[in-house]
Every structure is written in structure tokens, then in C-alpha cells.
Amino acid sequence: MKTLVCSWIILGVATVGAFANPGTKKISKAKPQVSIEQQLASQLTYPAALQKATGNGVVVIQFRLADDHKLVNPTVFSADKQLNDELTKQLLSAKLSLPESGDADQVHTARLRFKAAE
């Protein structure tokens, strides 16, 4: 009798385990985040100052974000004043969406690569 009861218990546990689905993962429907550089690249045009100079270049910028996600106080780090002015004008009209709700005093840094079309 003990053997029969133990057999039923083992069979019951094995049956429940066979229908359990512990390996399922919750699938997030969140969209993948796009980097700051990618967002800016989609909003900026190729600077005329780079076309005259080398054609290619890397520019580092720093900025803060306002509550409406627009760039505030963008600073362009390059030796070319014309390039700085042109990119600053474009950056003032740019708008970003960052995943974290950052502090208004937080300074963001981005490196932008410009490559001439061949």
C-alpha cells in the first residue's frame, strides 16, 4: 500500500512538473533606446564649414536639456569659429528624448562624426 501511495505522489509531482512553464520570460514592448549621437545625427545637416575644410571631422559638444527636451546652452568644441556658430544654431532647434528624467543642471556630452558623401 505504501508503494502504491508513493507511486501516486511521484506520478502527481511529475505530471504537474511536466505542465509547468517556468522558462517563460516577460517580453518587454518598450522600444530600444536610441543614443544621443544618433538622435542628433538625424536632426543636423552637414556643416558647410566642414565641406570647405577637410570634408570629414569629429566635433565634441556639451549641452543641458530643458524640461521640453530642447537643448540649452550648447557648446561646440572645435577650433573653427564658423563651424561652432553653424552647429550651435542647428543644436538650438534640436530636441532629444532621453530615457532617464535627468536633472536640468546635468551636462550631457556627445561626439558627432561628420563624413563627406563620396
Side-chain angles (χ1 to χ4, degrees):
M1 184 69 176
K2 287 183 181 180
T3 308
L4 183 61
V5 171
C6 288
S7 300
W8 281 102
I9 291 173
I10 291 173
L11 181 62
V13 170
T15 305
V16 171
F19 291 106
N21 196 1
T24 59
K25 295 181 181 178
K26 292 183 180 179
I27 298 173
S28 173
K29 293 185 180 181
K31 294 180 181 177
Q33 297 299 323
V34 180
S35 72
I36 292 173
E37 288 85 359
Q38 290 172 330
Q39 290 182 50
L40 287 172
S42 69
Q43 298 180 42
L44 298 177
T45 59
Y46 191 82
L50 278 180
Q51 290 175 349
K52 294 175 187 174
T54 61
N56 296 328
V58 177
V59 178
V60 176
I61 62 167
Q62 285 187 336
F63 58 90
R64 290 184 170 83
L65 280 180
D67 291 335
D68 62 350
H69 300 286
K70 287 193 174 186
L71 277 68
V72 179
N73 299 330
T75 304
V76 181
F77 296 100
S78 77
D80 188 351
K81 183 176 178 359
Q82 182 183 359
L83 177 62
N84 292 351
D85 293 341
E86 187 176 348
L87 282 177
T88 300
K89 184 177 178 182
Q90 289 187 41
L91 290 168
L92 286 173
S93 63
K95 203 172 188 181
L96 299 178
S97 60
L98 296 180
E100 71 275 354
S101 56
D103 184 11
D105 293 331
Q106 181 180 1
V107 177
H108 300 275
T109 303
R111 183 176 61 191
L112 303 176
R113 292 183 184 166
F114 293 99
K115 185 175 180 182
E118 297 176 3

